[in-house]
RNA sequence: GGGCCCGUAGCCUAGCAUGGAUAGGGCGCCGGUCUUCGGAAUUGGAAAUAAUGAUGUGAACCGGAGGUCCAGGGUUCGAAUCCCUGCGGGUCCGCCA
């Protein structure tokens, strides 16, 4: 039984007690206390009841404490000015916590689609994309571990202007199709071709004409569109190398060009016309277009800004006309016209599928999920809202809980100048470059600590440290906060960082390795763990289920990142003050050793949910 | 102009959804510890080396200093948290994607 189970038990028993005492029914929230002398859990129900009944909260707290019947080892203590605190006996909490680490089942088979990464196939991933990937991948891991059936999608926008830009570079500006040796193709295209072509547009206006004609060719089946596919898939394969390097994985690649060629838009557009959400403009500045009006409660009739064009006056659809059917497909609001084929095998052994227009292979079910989570930065807020409100109108269902835009703030390079990363201008830090730099530094540190180790081993450890450092730094902040990517900061290996967490894990492994035998925990030996720092480590370990639950419900991986750091620093404090292997008292040694075991397992579970590897030795 | 978001020590950040007990961390700073690693020097010894160890160092630990929770008003027994107004910053508002 973990703290999460205690919480549920207390809630149930307290509800019964209130009912039996004839007190009014109120919503009960069992919360964690801020300090150990208040016990571990508390409710402020006496305040709520006091208000209703016009009585002193403390009197009600005393009364409830007297009436409530709790299991052995759990007591209720009234506290001024009206809290009801619950104290779990140290030995019992220790014993129960040390027996097992439990991940709660919250999903009950709910199907969830998570879309993340979705980098345009014309450049390498920069750290802004890295934030998207790390958030999305962590959430996918958390949801999967808590009993949800997840499908992870990486959307490939292979039909837009950005693709036309690089084709201009290859076909008209003389960029070679093969970069110089040692350069990744995605990096070469992003750094040289894409940036170069965008600079040339200013000086050579005729290039823009060329782009226009390429853009038209892309919609059809011809030499240029086939060349575009070849190039974008080559870039995609290199991007995936970076994604996999960051420990991410996907189930499906969805190609925008196939949404177009399968004409998924048509049936949606018909439905939208029928539902009268799509309106034809007879006059005004949008004459000849089909628009959708967002219901915003904007009362000013002169304000036309919340109209969004769906179909241009020349009859072509705008990009939102690709997003809407895809979003509808995710929730099963439109039929599944895709075929699917095997794209490649991933490092974790699973198959990465891709949408396809050709005859499909035997594939798992895609689309039609209970819930769709789209990870995109906050600048897409308005568009995502439009998409959801269109889907709501078409399906006449509220979708607030089913179509979720998980927005996060952008990554910038400097707070003073607020340098936004821009692929077009070539202002960004690539994920691979960042990882290489951190890895370099970690390699020096690892070598210092392991002079006799093989170069290959040192390199593999340094790589894992680099990934942990980057993933941790991108996931630890609130989604609403702008991340300033500071190179010096990202090279830090101490303080609140991924490597610090890995270090404490490795410390635990050292002790376990040297101890040799696995300890057997009994209630009496658990009671020996009575030191303040031991009790607080146990309490933190007992919160595993609660922490996972809240991050799954709030889609907030940051909570788990904080939790790994907190556990690690508590473990390090324990490590300094409670020697395990030197302890002469066999039973105490045994109890401490099982605490080390439990710490290792718990931390291993949580770091895994964050995609951080924990080597046994670093 | 309208929508959304942010404002917490020198810097970064948690807590805000669901109001509650002394606002929790990290970096940096000051002081200390040490089963980290290096080590001037001293003592013993012919030597290998052993003991002591200034001082440095640290993915380690302990302690300390550092706060108008942007401002003002309101609701409440109680506000960092809820409401209103204002200030500062960001972002979105193309027949681009």
């Amino acid at each position: 039984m973990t703290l999460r189970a205690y919480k549920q038990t207390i809630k149930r028993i307290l509800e019964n007690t209130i009912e039996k005492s004839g007190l009014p029914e109120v919503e009960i929230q069992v919360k964690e206390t801020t300090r150990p002398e208040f016990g571990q859990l508390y409710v402020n129900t006496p305040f709520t009841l006091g208000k209703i009944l016009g009585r002193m909260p403390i009197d009600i707290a005393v009364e409830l404490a007297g009436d409530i019947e709790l299991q052995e080892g759990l007591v209720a203590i009234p506290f001024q000015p009206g809290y009801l605190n619950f104290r779990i006996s140290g030995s019992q909490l220790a014993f129960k916590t040390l027996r097992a680490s439990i991940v709660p089942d919250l999903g009950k088979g709910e199907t969830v689609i998570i879309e993340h990464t979705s980098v345009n196939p014309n450049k390498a991933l920069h750290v802004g994309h890295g934030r998207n990937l790390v958030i999305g991948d962590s959430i996918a891991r958390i949801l999967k571990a808590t009993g949800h059936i997840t499908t992870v999608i990486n959307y490939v926008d292979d039909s837009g202007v950005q693709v036309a830009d690089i084709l201009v570079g290859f076909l008209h500006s003389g960029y070679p199709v093969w970069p110089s040796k040692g350069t990744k193709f995605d990096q070469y295209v992003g750094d040289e071709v894409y940036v170069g072509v965008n600079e040339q547009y200013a000086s050579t206006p005729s290039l823009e004409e060329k782009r226009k004609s390429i853009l038209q060719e892309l919609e059809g089946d011809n030499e240029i569109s086939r060349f575009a596919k070849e190039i974008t898939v080559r870039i995609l394969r290199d991007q995936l190398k970076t994604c996999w390097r960051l420990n991410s994985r996907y189930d499906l690649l969805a190609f925008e060009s196939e949404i177009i060629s399968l004409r998924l838009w048509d049936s949606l557009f018909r439905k939208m016309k029928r539902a009268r959400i799509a309106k034809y403009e007879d006059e005004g500045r949008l004459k000849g277009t089909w628009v959708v009006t967002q219901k915003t409660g904007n009362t000013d009739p002169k304000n036309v800004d919340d109209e969004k064009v769906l179909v241009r006056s020349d009859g072509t659809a705008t990009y939102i006309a690709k997003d809407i059917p895809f979003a509808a497909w995710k929730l099963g609001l439109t039929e599944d016209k895709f075929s699917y084929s095997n794209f490649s095998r991933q490092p974790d052994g699973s198959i990465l599928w891709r949408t396809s227009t050709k005859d499909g292979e035997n594939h798992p079910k895609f689309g039609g999920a209970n819930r769709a989570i789209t990870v995109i930065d906050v600048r897409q807020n308005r568009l995502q809202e439009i998409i959801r409100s269109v889907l709501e109108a078409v399906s006449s269902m509220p979708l607030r809980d089913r179509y979720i835009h998980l927005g996060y703030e952008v990554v910038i390079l400097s707070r003073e100048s607020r340098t936004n990363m821009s692929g077009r201008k070539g202002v960004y830090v690539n994920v691979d470059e960042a990882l290489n730099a951190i890895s370099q530094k970690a390699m020096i540190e690892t070598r210092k600590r392991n002079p006799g180790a093989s170069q290959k081993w040192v390199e593999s450890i340094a790589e894992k440290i680099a990934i942990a450092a980057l993933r941790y730094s991108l996931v630890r902040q609130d989604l609403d906060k702008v991340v300033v990517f500071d190179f010096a900061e990202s090279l830090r290996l101490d303080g609140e960082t991924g490597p610090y967490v890995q270090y404490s894990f490795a410390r635990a492994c050292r002790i376990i390795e040297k101890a040799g035998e696995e300890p057997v925990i009994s209630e009496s030996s658990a009671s020996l763990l009575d030191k303040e720092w031991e009790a607080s480590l146990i309490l933190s370990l007992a919160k595993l289920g609660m922490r996972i639950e809240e991050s799954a419900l709030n889609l907030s991986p940051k909570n788990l990142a904080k939790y790994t750091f907190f556990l690690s620093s508590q473990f390090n404090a324990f490590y300094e003050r409670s020697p395990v292997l030197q302890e002469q008292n066999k039973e105490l040694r045994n109890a401490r050793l099982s605490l080390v075991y439990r710490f290792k397992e718990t931390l291993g579970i949580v770091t895994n949910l964050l995609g951080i590897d924990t080597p046994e030795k670093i």
Side-chain angles (χ1 to χ4, degrees):
Chain A
M1 186 146 103
T2 64
L3 211 62
R4 185 169 170 266
Y6 274 107
K7 200 170 153 177
Q8 290 167 344
T9 308
I10 289 170
K11 185 170 151 81
R12 187 169 39 80
I13 296 176
L14 192 59
E15 276 167 355
N16 288 341
T17 308
I18 288 175
E19 201 190 326
K20 260 191 242 161
S21 318
L23 293 164
E25 199 178 312
V26 287
E27 168 76 23
I28 291 169
Q29 280 177 45
V30 186
K31 301 185 185 187
E32 295 165 54
T33 59
T34 49
R35 302 157 60 81
E37 56 265 42
F38 301 143
Q40 289 78 29
L41 296 167
Y42 80 95
V43 295
N44 54 22
T45 313
F47 289 102
T48 321
L49 288 172
K51 191 166 221 167
I52 298 171
L53 301 172
R55 293 175 52 195
M56 294 287 284
I58 185 66
D59 294 342
I60 296 172
V62 170
E63 200 177 300
L64 283 174
D67 291 346
I68 197 164
E69 283 174 39
L70 295 164
Q71 66 197 82
E72 212 182 315
L74 184 62
V75 290
I77 307 161
F79 237 87
Q80 282 289 0
Y83 299 98
L84 189 56
N85 294 345
F86 295 89
R87 190 188 302 277
I88 305 161
S89 96
S91 62
Q92 203 179 102
L93 185 63
F95 178 58
K96 286 179 172 165
T97 306
L98 292 181
R99 268 198 313 199
S101 311
I102 301 160
V103 177
D105 181 359
L106 307 165
K108 319 266 184 232
E110 187 200 17
T111 52
V112 186
I113 285 177
I114 300 118
E115 181 196 319
H116 69 82
T117 305
S118 305
V119 181
N120 287 339
N122 68 336
K123 55 174 163 279
L125 272 74
H126 60 60
V127 290
H129 302 123
R131 188 175 191 191
N132 184 308
L133 177 149
V134 167
I135 291 166
D137 183 60
S138 301
I139 283 172
R141 286 164 179 265
I142 292 164
L143 292 180
K144 190 168 189 179
T146 50
H148 302 79
I149 298 165
T150 57
T151 305
V152 182
I153 297 182
N154 185 357
Y155 184 80
V156 185
D157 184 355
D158 60 341
S159 69
V161 178
Q162 348 80 22
V163 175
D165 280 335
I166 58 175
L167 291 193
V168 168
F170 291 127
L171 298 173
H172 302 291
S173 298
Y175 283 99
V177 197
W178 296 99
S180 56
K181 267 220 169 88
T183 312
K184 270 178 86 201
F185 190 58
D186 58 349
Q187 202 159 336
Y188 159 69
V189 174
D191 289 357
E192 297 183 38
V193 184
Y194 187 50
V195 174
V197 167
N198 272 291
E199 279 167 3
Q200 285 175 20
Y201 285 138
S203 56
T204 325
S206 64
L207 276 183
E208 299 213 31
E209 291 300 314
K210 300 248 157 82
R211 172 169 70 176
K212 224 175 192 175
S213 74
I214 287 177
L215 209 45
Q216 274 165 7
E217 300 273 358
L218 283 180
E219 303 266 327
D221 183 18
N222 51 53
E223 211 171 300
I224 288 192
S225 69
R226 278 190 294 274
F227 177 59
K229 280 212 167 82
E230 189 192 313
I231 293 288
T232 49
V233 166
R234 253 176 82 191
I235 293 170
L236 180 61
R237 286 192 186 275
D238 270 2
Q239 289 178 337
L240 282 169
K241 281 181 200 157
T242 306
C243 300
W244 290 332
R245 190 179 175 192
L246 274 175
N247 278 342
S248 184
R249 64 166 301 283
Y250 310 88
D251 294 296
L252 178 67
L253 300 170
F255 285 80
E256 182 167 284
S257 57
E258 267 135 36
I259 294 174
I260 297 167
S261 59
L262 289 170
R263 311 192 68 81
L264 297 188
W265 166 242
D266 294 358
S267 67
L268 248 282
F269 189 35
R270 273 198 301 277
K271 281 186 199 169
M272 288 173 70
K273 286 187 211 164
R274 217 176 302 141
R276 297 189 189 284
I277 347 164
K279 281 191 312 193
Y280 186 74
E281 295 283 322
D282 295 311
E283 54 187 1
R285 69 184 173 95
L286 297 178
K287 184 175 177 190
T289 65
W290 286 85
V291 301
V292 62
T293 308
Q294 199 191 358
K295 289 170 225 146
T296 54
N298 187 337
T299 48
D300 185 354
K302 276 176 281 182
N303 195 335
V304 288
D305 280 345
D306 49 4
E307 287 186 326
K308 186 80 199 154
V309 173
L310 295 166
V311 178
R312 303 184 187 98
S313 50
D314 65 3
T316 59
T318 62
Y319 77 97
I320 198 173
K322 298 155 199 162
D323 289 345
I324 290 171
F326 186 53
W329 167 85
K330 286 178 181 172
L331 293 178
L333 303 176
T334 186
E335 60 177 314
D336 183 9
K337 282 191 177 173
F338 290 119
S339 298
Y340 302 93
S341 60
N342 182 334
F343 184 80
S344 83
R345 192 166 279 277
Q346 309 190 69
D348 73 344
S350 64
I351 294 172
L352 175 57
W353 293 86
R354 59 161 293 167
T355 56
S356 161
T357 41
K358 297 184 211 92
D359 281 342
E361 301 168 39
N362 209 359
H363 62 84
K365 180 186 180 290
F366 294 112
N370 301 125
R371 188 153 48 126
I373 298 169
T374 313
V375 183
I376 331 181
D377 74 56
V378 290
R379 291 175 296 189
Q380 305 283 333
N381 266 348
R382 181 167 170 266
L383 297 163
Q384 287 295 315
E385 258 175 59
I386 293 172
I387 290 169
R388 194 185 61 223
S389 69
V390 166
L391 294 186
E392 285 180 335
V394 167
S395 67
S396 18
M397 276 191 272
L399 298 175
R400 189 159 286 278
D401 299 328
R402 291 188 59 201
Y403 188 78
I404 296 159
H405 168 213
L406 194 69
Y408 60 92
E409 265 292 352
V410 294
V411 179
I412 62 174
L413 295 177
S414 152
R415 197 174 289 278
E416 290 70 44
S417 58
R418 203 187 156 85
T419 313
N420 278 310
M421 277 187 260
S422 160
R424 199 173 313 164
K425 293 183 196 144
V427 184
Y428 46 80
V429 176
N430 278 335
V431 167
D432 281 313
E433 288 168 355
L435 283 177
N436 291 345
I438 303 168
S439 184
Q440 278 297 317
K441 187 177 176 198
M443 202 150 28
I444 294 167
E445 297 291 323
T446 310
R447 171 57 72 198
K448 233 170 28 191
R449 289 165 174 79
N450 301 276
S454 75
Q455 184 61 18
K456 204 177 150 201
W457 181 84
V458 172
E459 277 170 23
S460 85
I461 295 298
E463 174 78 0
K464 285 176 179 165
I465 291 171
I467 293 159
L470 189 62
R471 283 195 69 131
Y472 192 97
S473 72
L474 290 174
V475 85
R476 61 177 248 242
Q477 270 124 315
D478 196 283
L479 299 182
D480 284 334
K481 281 199 165 125
V482 173
V483 170
V484 182
F485 186 80
D486 180 276
F487 231 106
E489 177 76 5
S490 72
L491 288 171
R492 261 185 46 226
L493 305 173
D494 60 344
E496 194 194 333
T497 63
Y500 175 91
V501 173
Q502 289 177 311
Y503 177 75
S504 63
F505 184 88
R507 267 189 152 174
C509 293
R510 240 1 15 80
I511 296 174
I512 287 169
E513 183 192 274
K514 285 185 185 156
E517 53 195 332
E518 191 164 343
V520 182
I521 189 73
S522 69
E523 196 156 0
S524 69
S525 64
S527 71
L528 297 175
L529 297 170
D530 54 1
K531 297 281 187 300
E532 185 198 322
W533 54 89
E534 292 166 340
S536 61
L537 177 57
I538 289 164
L539 179 60
S540 300
L541 291 171
K543 289 178 180 172
L544 172 71
M546 286 162 66
R547 289 292 96 83
I548 292 179
E549 181 177 28
E550 72 195 13
S551 61
L553 291 179
N554 300 334
L555 303 177
S556 170
K558 135 196 108 168
N559 294 352
L560 290 184
K562 300 274 172 200
Y563 182 56
T564 61
F565 175 69
F566 190 58
L567 279 181
S568 299
S569 70
Q570 282 192 322
F571 175 76
N572 279 330
F574 161 80
Y575 179 94
E576 293 289 331
R577 290 187 273 191
S578 289
V580 178
L581 301 173
Q582 279 93 338
E583 180 53 51
Q584 295 304 306
N585 178 337
K586 252 192 126 179
E587 212 183 346
L588 180 56
R589 179 190 137 110
N590 187 54
R592 286 183 179 166
L593 190 56
S594 31
L595 184 50
V596 177
Y597 263 87
R598 188 55 47 220
F599 166 76
K600 181 189 161 187
E601 192 185 347
T602 304
L603 189 65
I605 289 170
V606 186
T607 46
N608 183 42
L609 295 178
L610 297 170
I612 290 173
D613 286 331
T614 43
E616 301 253 316
K617 191 168 194 294
I618 67 172

